[in-house]
Amino acid sequence: MSKVGMDASPRWHSWVASHPVGGLAVTGLVATQIVTYLGYCFKAIGLPTLPWPAYNGALIGGADTWASPLAQYWAGQSMHYVNGIVFTILFGMVARTKLPGSHVIKGVLYGVILAIVSIGFLVPYAYVPKMGYGLFLMDGPDGWKLPAGVLLWHVIWGFLIGTLYQPKDND
């Protein structure tokens, strides 16, 4: 007699094989949810809190254009999850076949690549363009802690997508 959940992995692999984009979308949703929560908890390990949904809400329309902070938050939350799902689909459809290593290593490498883009361009020039952070966020008030937090956030996300999305390769 088998215990409930013993064959979850084979069922998941089977479902991913027959629904590759759906499997990536679910993976992206789950991985993004987990690291979003962890980003709010980074203060517990001495890193700055990373409230990406709030940052995305401010990026979409700016603080002066929203009817309420709640509308800004939900717009940012929506953008945040769409980003997580889209970047996971790009991982599965493009990057996974190009990166070396196991599924998990590929996910982590992809996360590091996205972190470099985020730290080097998006955060200093799109999210907080007039805050004086500069390239790779090293000139900010947190010094090395903000770029370390962004890197850690993306590494965990990459680990999760590499762990959760492991289709049986035909090659």
Side-chain angles (χ1 to χ4, degrees):
M1 188 132 221
S2 69
K3 293 182 179 181
V4 175
M6 289 291 286
D7 59 350
S9 182
R11 282 187 278 146
W12 172 247
H13 286 298
S14 175
W15 191 82
V16 166
S18 60
H19 303 90
V21 176
L24 285 163
V26 169
T27 296
L29 180 69
V30 170
T32 302
Q33 174 58 39
I34 291 169
V35 293
T36 299
Y37 171 75
L38 292 176
Y40 283 102
C41 298
F42 276 6
K43 192 173 214 161
I45 60 170
L47 295 173
T49 301
L50 296 176
W52 293 120
Y55 293 159
N56 283 325
L59 182 64
I60 290 171
D64 299 336
T65 62
W66 291 98
S68 72
L70 187 61
Q72 181 175 341
Y73 174 81
W74 284 111
Q77 187 80 325
S78 299
M79 180 179 169
H80 178 63
Y81 280 94
V82 167
N83 283 343
I85 291 167
V86 167
F87 280 109
T88 303
I89 291 171
L90 286 172
F91 166 74
M93 298 296 180
V94 179
R96 189 180 62 82
T97 61
K98 309 268 189 249
L99 294 170
S102 68
H103 293 286
V104 174
I105 296 298
K106 290 176 185 200
V108 169
L109 287 173
Y110 185 64
V112 168
I113 291 166
L114 292 181
I116 291 169
V117 171
S118 184
I119 295 167
F121 173 73
L122 289 177
V123 174
Y125 301 112
Y127 287 103
V128 289
K130 296 177 182 169
M131 299 290 286
Y133 279 96
L135 188 63
F136 295 105
L137 306 175
M138 292 306 238
D139 298 332
D142 297 317
W144 62 270
K145 290 182 178 184
L146 181 58
V150 173
L151 176 63
L152 178 61
W153 193 96
H154 284 88
V155 165
I156 295 168
W157 179 81
F159 172 82
L160 290 169
I161 65 169
T163 300
L164 295 172
Y165 186 75
Q166 295 190 12
K168 304 243 186 269
D169 292 324
N170 292 332
D171 46 17

